[in-house]
Amino acid sequence: MRRSFTYKSFLVFPIIGSFLWHINTPTTNGFTPIIGLGDTLTEAQKRLPENAVRNLVITEGVEAQLFASEPVMTNPTNIDVDERGRVWVCEAFNYRNAITGSPAKKEGDRILILEDTDGDGKADKNTVFYQGAEVESPLGIWVMGNQVIVSQSPYVWLFTDDNGDDKADRKEILLQGMGGIQHDHGMHAFTFGPDGKFYFNFGNEGQTLKDKNNNVLRDKQGKDISLANYKMGMVFRCNPDMTEIEVLGNNFRNNYEVAVDSYGAMWQSDNDDDGNKGVRINYVMDYGNYGYTDEMTGAGWQANRTNMETEIPFRHWHLNDPGVVPNLLQTGAGSPTGMCIYEGDLLPSIFRNQMIHCDAGLNVVRAYPVEKNGAGYTAKIVNIMEGTNDNWFRPSDVCVAPDGSLMVADWYDPGVGGHQAGDLNRGRIFRVSPPNTPYKIPTYNYATTEGAIAALQNPNLSVRWHAWQVLHKMGEKANEPLLKLYLETPNSRVKARAFWLLAKSKNADKSIEMAMQDNNPDIRIAAIRAARQGETNIAKVVRRLYDDPDPQVRRECMIAMRDSTWEETIQLLCHLALQYDGKDRWYLEALGIGAEGQWDALIEKIIYNDNKIKLTKQARADIIWRSRGEKSAMLLGELASDNTVPIQDRLRYFRAFDFVPSKNKSQVLLGIVKQNNPEVSAIALRHLDADFVKNNAESKKILRNLMATLKGKDYIEFAEKYALKEEHERLLMMINKNELSKQASDILFKNTEGSNFVKAIVQNPAKEQEGINLLSAMRWTGGKKQLDMLNAAAFDTKRSLNFRTKAFEFLGGSWGGEDMVVQYLKEGKIDQAFIPAAVKGVSKAWRKQIRTEASKFLSTASTTTETAHKMPQIEDLMPLKSDEKQGLILFKDYCSTCHQVKNEGVDFGPKLTNIGSKLSKEAQYAAILTPDAGISFGYEGWEIKTKDGSIYRGMITSTTAAELQLKVIGGASQKIRIKDIKLKNKLPNSLMTAGFHEVLKPQELADLVGYLMSLK
């Protein structure tokens, strides 16, 4: 399941953990929560299954029952409810045990069937459908009759029960190659669409999709489904036999589970990097880019860019970039997991026809009632059940049962993810329904048309799947009753289900024609979607609907024109584009999807003929901003140069240059640079190719004049981009003033000319202080050139005592330097006079073994080692009372060097502002004491070795085709060119070494955790 969100993985000495996020308190929007009684229980009592419901806060109009719990099953990651009302459970007892060393079941994880045989709402029968060593922490399950699809990276399994005994008789691989074993950001669950197709997704570790023979699959456009053509997390659709696979959306981080409504619309959640308040809910617009990384380069969201969003939660998704589909809703903090669409009528009306979603991090199950807004949507939050009184409540999935009630899986754990389970022995399933509603499962006679038609109207997907198969197989025999259902049902979603079956019949064209005339725009949208999937002339459909009064219908018309080759394509696109109002971003992005590869012809028709008078000024500018043609550059240049518009409002046009493939882009930008406006010239130079500028005398002169006016980070940005030898002296001046000295030093070492410049100064005794300043600036990097220079300076017997003392101290400033110092000490290569300096240089190394080894060589025993304390047991720490004020002091002393609370501290590890709402006290202690037990995705340590022998270690924050960006301890960034990398290895340990307990006494640990628990 999506579990890379605790701080367990990231406590680095002196860092405190991968704590997560701000918690937005959702509103109940008029629904009165019924307060649970769990606040009267002790911690031990809260953990008991008989008190599970007491710990929950349930919204008005429903109640929760405990359907099943330990010891029958534990650690449920994903569930499905079959047509008989049985709950199928993916267990993950072995979650990450191979990595963390946790106890394991050698026989493997299980797929369970839990059944209520007497209708009392509680499971009284459990069956192990399958258990095998090859099943490791499955994250998705879809049940279809006697077959079950189980998603478990890097595989998707198909299990078949041939004889009806509820035991798998056969298993086979459907897909493979998605993510690593047990990777939370890999393959997730399959679901069934109203079109008879399967929908599924994987997160940003999925990377590629392969068939059962390990061949990379291609999409319907003939492109390999891999990172060569798509980015990060993806959403897919395919036939049940895994053919005609389509990539319907890409560039998500970890989109956990896609849900499809009866119209064919897709919805899902996605989570941010830990601690950045950017969790989101998305409407998945077909073929959309969802902005987790830079669309063109693949750079991470932290990489600097023009027109960057002001707030990190929005910056996280590149929302200001052209070509990024807007988010439906950003929910702030969280660890989003399973989702379904509730199309039943048992629950209160506010939940009907809405997404129902679990967020394990927020301990909540909730809905997001959606309203249409132009070509897009708006949504709000309405809670259903919360673990307010017990933050071990970790809802992992939710499904609709055949009677219309909800089944909710609860992982039940002190933490949530971090690639570790804190509790292996608990797990619950709850049933949510109106009070006093018995669990009665309807039965259908699928052998008759009437029975299958009735089943098609059920809110449960397994029931509808069975009905769909039967009715589709009936062929013409089913058409008349389906048409009757279509015409007579008052439920538009049931109507849509009937339409989809009709659209898959031999009378598809007639059915689509009927749906195009329907009064409900959602049915008209379904008509477009069905026409795209079949043999219907889609051009004819678009011509009929391109003037539709509903912008969402026109949105689907534009999407349907993607990759079209019709003669009248540009005319139709132009007509749709001219209806853009200059305000609706969803509409604009749909236009961008439809116009892909056809922008020049469209721009010609929209901008350069009489049609331009039909667009507002803003609409015209927006379409140019979104365009991707050869002609776009000149038009963007006009907008970027318009001095009647404030420069802040023109930044978007400069950013748009990065997405334009135009050959004359550099000339257009150069024209802007030549304008007598330093502020505008500076922005334009950010987007020009560095070699183009350096090889153009006029532009280079403008650049140098501009750089003379810049200071601080602005100057560093240009100095790094252009690496001009004429700037060496100024960079040296910055180093002498200790102004961004590391960055200035890195720029000097970027090429041979700069390295030689530094070397000449360091080796010049007449410039000793400047040499020392340079050595100090270069000590943090760990590059081979820098270490060689530091090493040579330290052992240069011709230099002064002061110079060599400083060199020995600075030598241990980097990871590679630390290793070098300890090795020299062991080999006796450092003179006694310089040992204190060498040891001082590694005294704050985050690797305890480095500090310990080095300290042994000091002559004063009192300073040789840190005072060690025995590892305390969490159960012994839990009763200790804490002093939050003292905990704050400890946090500032030991944790703020790598973590922030309310933007105070160093931005290296995840932000901890609201960690007290995220994790239980047990989980906080576990993360501090055993950080290696779980390493959160995105916070792994990496060792990068370059071809020149340099060794760098840190976290990878961004990777493009040209360079990799590494965040090193302390928060500084190191850029490494891809072509220079020789080896890239993931470190086996967390970037927080174990042993925090050896620095802090038990009471201090209690104080620290007390402070962390107060951060809510």
Side-chain angles (χ1 to χ4, degrees):
M1 64 181 293
R2 160 66 178 96
R3 282 176 139 359
S4 54
F5 1 86
T6 72
Y7 70 102
K8 291 192 173 197
S9 62
F10 200 74
L11 285 156
V12 180
F13 186 97
I15 304 172
I16 264 205
S18 178
F19 296 93
L20 295 183
W21 311 293
H22 167 71
I23 303 297
N24 282 355
T25 302
T27 62
T28 56
N29 295 294
F31 268 64
T32 305
I34 300 174
I35 306 300
L37 303 174
D39 54 347
T40 64
L41 302 174
T42 66
E43 291 298 311
Q45 289 172 330
K46 286 180 181 180
R47 308 289 169 254
L48 299 175
E50 54 264 36
N51 291 323
V53 174
R54 291 184 65 182
N55 293 329
L56 300 175
V57 174
I58 310 298
T59 197
E60 183 181 21
V62 296
E63 68 176 3
Q65 289 178 283
L66 186 64
F67 183 80
S69 69
E70 70 274 8
V72 171
M73 59 98 197
T74 67
N75 303 73
T77 60
N78 201 252
I79 60 172
D80 197 15
V81 183
D82 69 16
E83 58 189 312
R84 293 162 55 185
R86 302 180 303 173
V87 180
W88 294 62
V89 182
C90 288
E91 272 192 332
F93 183 92
N94 287 345
Y95 179 68
R96 290 275 153 177
N97 63 75
I99 297 170
T100 64
S102 301
K105 291 180 179 178
K106 293 182 180 180
E107 58 272 30
D109 281 321
R110 304 187 299 179
I111 307 300
L112 295 178
I113 307 173
L114 305 178
E115 185 175 3
D116 172 17
T117 62
D118 57 11
D120 66 352
K122 298 178 181 180
D124 48 57
K125 178 182 179 181
N126 69 89
T127 304
V128 178
F129 177 75
Y130 187 82
Q131 183 173 25
E134 76 280 19
V135 178
E136 297 186 61
S137 304
L139 296 183
I141 185 167
W142 156 238
V143 182
M144 44 185 181
N146 70 324
Q147 292 189 308
V148 180
I149 294 178
V150 174
S151 302
Q152 173 231 309
S153 290
Y155 302 107
V156 173
W157 300 95
L158 176 65
F159 294 95
T160 303
D161 173 11
D162 290 314
N163 56 15
D165 64 352
D166 291 334
K167 302 284 185 179
D169 298 300
R170 291 182 286 126
K171 72 175 188 296
E172 59 185 291
I173 293 174
L174 291 181
L175 300 171
Q176 61 181 307
M178 303 77 63
I181 294 174
Q182 295 203 24
H183 211 298
D184 304 24
H185 291 233
M187 180 62 70
H188 296 305
F190 278 61
T191 191
F192 179 68
D195 50 3
K197 290 180 177 277
F198 288 163
Y199 292 74
F200 60 99
N201 57 16
F202 65 48
N204 58 331
E205 190 64 14
Q207 300 186 3
T208 190
L209 206 61
K210 297 181 180 180
D211 65 16
K212 60 183 179 182
N213 298 316
N214 209 33
N215 299 311
V216 175
L217 287 163
R218 292 184 174 181
D219 63 16
K220 290 179 69 174
Q221 285 73 42
K223 296 188 292 187
D224 285 353
I225 300 175
S226 69
L227 297 184
N229 297 304
Y230 299 101
K231 287 185 168 58
M232 312 309 278
M234 306 176 201
V235 181
F236 306 94
R237 174 170 60 208
C238 67
N239 294 327
D241 62 358
M242 302 293 123
T243 59
E244 294 189 355
I245 294 181
E246 301 172 83
V247 180
L248 297 176
N250 80 120
N251 215 0
F252 299 95
R253 182 173 186 260
N254 192 27
N255 38 325
Y256 192 82
E257 191 170 80
V258 64
V260 187
D261 66 26
S262 290
Y263 305 119
M266 298 170 288
W267 312 84
Q268 67 178 18
S269 62
D270 193 17
N271 71 287
D272 62 352
D273 288 342
D274 293 351
N276 291 295
K277 309 178 187 179
V279 172
R280 61 179 175 174
I281 307 299
N282 290 119
Y283 161 67
V284 182
M285 186 186 294
D286 286 19
Y287 313 120
N289 160 46
Y290 283 81
Y292 176 51
T293 62
D294 186 297
E295 180 187 351
M296 306 306 289
T297 68
W301 64 269
Q302 297 182 54
N304 191 31
R305 58 186 183 270
T306 300
N307 201 37
M308 184 180 281
E309 300 77 3
T310 303
E311 298 179 50
I312 287 177
F314 304 107
R315 186 182 305 167
H316 203 91
W317 307 116
H318 290 82
L319 291 176
N320 283 356
D321 282 357
V324 174
V325 178
N327 294 330
L328 168 64
L329 183 69
Q330 288 198 221
T331 59
S335 304
T337 46
M339 177 185 285
C340 67
I341 305 295
Y342 184 78
E343 294 184 342
D345 56 12
L346 183 66
L347 298 186
S349 59
I350 196 168
F351 303 119
R352 297 172 191 172
N353 301 323
Q354 305 298 338
M355 290 171 275
I356 308 295
H357 182 225
C358 296
D359 195 309
L362 298 182
N363 323 105
V364 67
V365 180
R366 57 195 185 186
Y368 307 109
V370 168
E371 293 184 4
K372 294 184 177 182
N373 182 29
Y377 306 88
T378 60
K380 60 184 178 181
I381 298 173
V382 180
N383 289 351
I384 298 176
M385 57 194 301
E386 300 174 78
T388 303
N389 298 314
D390 182 6
N391 60 3
W392 281 39
F393 175 60
R394 305 292 183 184
S396 56
D397 198 18
V398 56
C399 289
V400 185
D403 72 333
S405 61
L406 294 177
M407 291 293 182
V408 176
D410 178 9
W411 171 265
Y412 204 74
D413 196 88
V416 51
H419 292 176
Q420 180 186 0
D423 178 274
L424 296 175
N425 301 309
R426 296 179 176 91
R428 287 86 190 264
I429 306 289
F430 296 95
R431 177 174 179 260
V432 179
S433 65
N436 303 313
T437 303
Y439 192 39
K440 293 184 178 180
I441 305 303
T443 58
Y444 302 98
N445 184 357
Y446 292 96
T448 67
T449 306
E450 294 76 12
I453 289 287
L456 187 65
Q457 301 173 61
N458 192 277
N460 172 265
L461 278 179
S462 288
V463 175
R464 297 214 299 267
W465 173 85
H466 194 167
W468 202 100
Q469 307 307 313
V470 169
L471 292 165
H472 186 58
K473 188 175 181 180
M474 286 180 180
E476 297 295 318
K477 180 182 177 182
N479 281 359
E480 185 175 342
L482 283 169
L483 180 61
K484 184 175 186 293
L485 177 64
Y486 176 93
L487 295 173
E488 295 181 359
T489 180
N491 186 324
S492 66
R493 297 192 177 226
V494 170
K495 186 177 192 177
R497 295 174 208 159
F499 161 72
W500 277 109
L501 275 159
L502 290 167
K504 297 290 181 175
S505 71
K506 293 181 180 180
N507 295 321
D509 286 354
K510 184 182 295 186
S511 301
I512 290 171
E513 175 70 24
M514 175 182 65
M516 284 194 292
Q517 301 178 54
D518 200 280
N519 291 330
N520 187 333
D522 289 317
I523 301 296
R524 301 199 296 275
I525 288 171
I528 300 170
R529 290 171 175 158
R532 284 170 48 202
Q533 290 188 22
E535 298 179 359
T536 299
N537 186 327
I538 187 64
K540 178 182 176 181
V541 174
V542 172
R543 281 195 296 270
R544 287 282 303 276
L545 295 174
Y546 75 164
D547 267 329
D548 196 283
D550 192 291
Q552 298 202 343
V553 176
R554 301 199 304 274
R555 175 197 73 205
E556 293 300 316
C557 285
M558 290 184 283
I559 292 171
M561 298 178 72
R562 179 177 181 259
D563 299 325
S564 65
T565 56
W566 325 321
E567 184 177 342
E568 71 272 44
T569 291
I570 300 305
Q571 179 182 344
L572 294 173
L573 276 172
C574 177
H575 191 83
L576 286 158
L578 292 174
Q579 297 178 72
Y580 172 57
D581 62 4
K583 301 175 183 177
D584 189 340
R585 176 72 181 274
W586 302 80
Y587 194 98
L588 182 64
E589 289 304 330
L591 174 63
I593 290 169
E596 182 180 344
Q598 305 180 88
W599 274 109
D600 281 325
L602 183 60
I603 286 292
E604 179 70 30
K605 199 165 185 64
I606 293 176
I607 303 300
Y608 291 110
N609 63 18
D610 291 341
N611 282 317
K612 63 184 179 182
I613 64 175
K614 299 179 183 179
L615 288 171
T616 66
K617 182 179 179 181
Q618 187 61 55
R620 177 183 182 275
D622 285 353
I623 291 174
I624 293 170
W625 171 76
R626 179 59 180 84
S627 65
R628 301 283 175 89
E630 183 66 31
K631 297 179 180 180
S632 302
M634 186 175 65
L635 294 168
L636 285 171
E638 293 173 2
L639 292 167
S641 303
D642 186 356
N643 292 322
T644 65
V645 177
I647 187 61
Q648 192 64 32
D649 295 334
R650 283 184 274 156
L651 294 178
R652 67 197 301 254
Y653 306 119
F654 285 101
R655 173 59 172 160
F657 274 107
D658 295 338
F659 300 86
V660 170
S662 174
K663 297 176 183 177
N664 66 346
K665 177 167 58 175
S666 293
Q667 292 296 336
V668 174
L669 284 164
L670 180 58
I672 298 174
V673 170
K674 291 178 181 179
Q675 295 178 5
N676 189 23
N677 187 327
E679 184 179 17
V680 174
S681 295
I683 299 168
L685 281 164
R686 285 188 173 97
H687 297 272
L688 267 168
D689 178 73
D691 289 335
F692 176 88
V693 173
K694 289 192 286 187
N695 293 323
N696 182 293
E698 185 178 14
S699 60
K700 184 176 179 180
K701 181 179 178 181
I702 295 172
L703 171 64
R704 292 218 63 213
N705 289 338
L706 172 67
M707 291 179 69
T709 68
L710 299 177
K711 298 179 180 179
K713 291 182 179 180
D714 291 331
Y715 172 79
I716 286 292
E717 178 186 346
F718 281 90
E720 180 181 29
K721 178 180 175 76
Y722 290 101
L724 300 175
K725 64 180 180 181
E726 293 89 346
E727 298 298 320
H728 290 172
E729 289 291 345
R730 181 169 177 189
L731 290 167
L732 175 61
M733 181 179 67
M734 293 181 72
I735 291 170
N736 287 331
K737 292 181 177 180
N738 198 26
E739 179 186 355
L740 299 172
S741 57
K742 180 191 180 297
Q743 293 89 329
S745 172
D746 289 345
I747 294 169
L748 286 171
F749 278 98
K750 199 171 183 180
N751 53 46
T752 302
E753 289 178 334
S755 299
N756 290 338
F757 172 78
V758 173
K759 187 175 182 180
I761 295 173
V762 171
Q763 291 181 345
N764 188 347
K767 296 185 176 182
E768 179 168 298
Q769 188 55 51
E770 285 185 329
I772 290 174
N773 293 341
L774 281 165
L775 294 176
S776 177
M778 72 178 73
R779 61 176 157 166
W780 310 112
T781 302
K784 186 175 186 303
K785 292 179 182 177
Q786 289 91 330
L787 282 177
D788 286 349
M789 206 170 289
L790 283 161
N791 194 59
F795 287 97
D796 188 349
T797 57
K798 296 180 181 179
R799 302 303 298 270
S800 70
L801 177 65
N802 179 55
F803 183 85
R804 294 185 65 194
T805 299
K806 291 295 184 182
F808 270 113
E809 179 183 341
F810 300 153
L811 183 60
S814 64
W815 187 305
E818 293 169 1
D819 292 332
M820 190 178 290
V821 166
V822 170
Q823 188 65 28
Y824 286 159
L825 288 168
K826 289 180 177 180
E827 294 174 356
K829 291 184 177 181
I830 302 178
D831 291 345
Q832 190 66 38
F834 300 114
I835 288 178
V839 175
K840 178 182 178 183
V842 298
S843 62
K844 293 185 179 180
W846 65 269
R847 287 182 290 173
K848 178 193 170 188
Q849 64 269 31
I850 292 291
R851 303 191 305 273
T852 302
E853 286 292 328
S855 66
K856 294 176 182 177
F857 293 90
L858 291 176
S859 58
T860 308
S862 61
T863 60
T864 57
T865 60
E866 299 163 352
T867 302
H869 304 290
K870 181 181 177 182
M871 170 80 80
Q873 298 299 308
I874 293 177
E875 55 265 30
D876 295 329
L877 294 170
M878 288 291 291
L880 296 179
K881 294 183 179 180
S882 60
D883 184 335
E884 293 176 13
K885 292 182 178 180
Q886 186 61 35
L888 171 59
I889 295 171
L890 291 165
F891 178 84
K892 290 180 176 179
D893 288 343
Y894 292 98
C895 311
S896 63
T897 53
C898 285
H899 288 281
Q900 291 184 338
V901 169
K902 297 179 180 178
N903 296 321
E904 293 185 7
V906 176
D907 182 16
F908 181 52
K911 297 173 179 64
L912 313 181
T913 302
N914 298 92
I915 190 61
S917 297
K918 175 75 176 178
L919 296 181
S920 67
K921 188 185 293 186
E922 295 97 327
Q924 309 246 27
Y925 278 125
I928 293 171
L929 296 173
T930 56
D932 284 344
I935 302 177
S936 294
F937 184 74
Y939 289 91
E940 303 94 340
W942 289 87
E943 177 182 79
I944 310 296
K945 296 182 179 180
T946 57
K947 294 173 183 176
D948 68 354
S950 300
I951 301 176
Y952 305 92
R953 290 178 178 87
M955 293 184 304
I956 296 175
T957 59
S958 177
T959 303
T960 70
E963 69 178 18
L964 174 151
Q965 188 163 305
L966 199 70
K967 185 185 281 190
V968 298
I969 292 173
S973 291
Q974 182 71 42
K975 294 181 180 179
I976 305 169
R977 293 185 300 184
I978 298 296
K979 65 180 182 180
D980 294 336
I981 296 176
K982 182 179 180 180
L983 291 172
K984 185 175 78 168
N985 297 316
K986 186 183 293 186
L987 297 175
N989 301 108
S990 164
L991 285 179
M992 174 184 174
T993 54
F996 210 83
H997 64 281
E998 297 182 4
V999 181
L1000 299 181
K1001 299 175 182 178
Q1003 184 56 55
E1004 291 175 318
L1005 288 168
D1007 293 340
L1008 177 58
V1009 168
Y1011 167 69
L1012 296 172
M1013 289 300 296
S1014 74
L1015 299 176
K1016 298 181 179 181

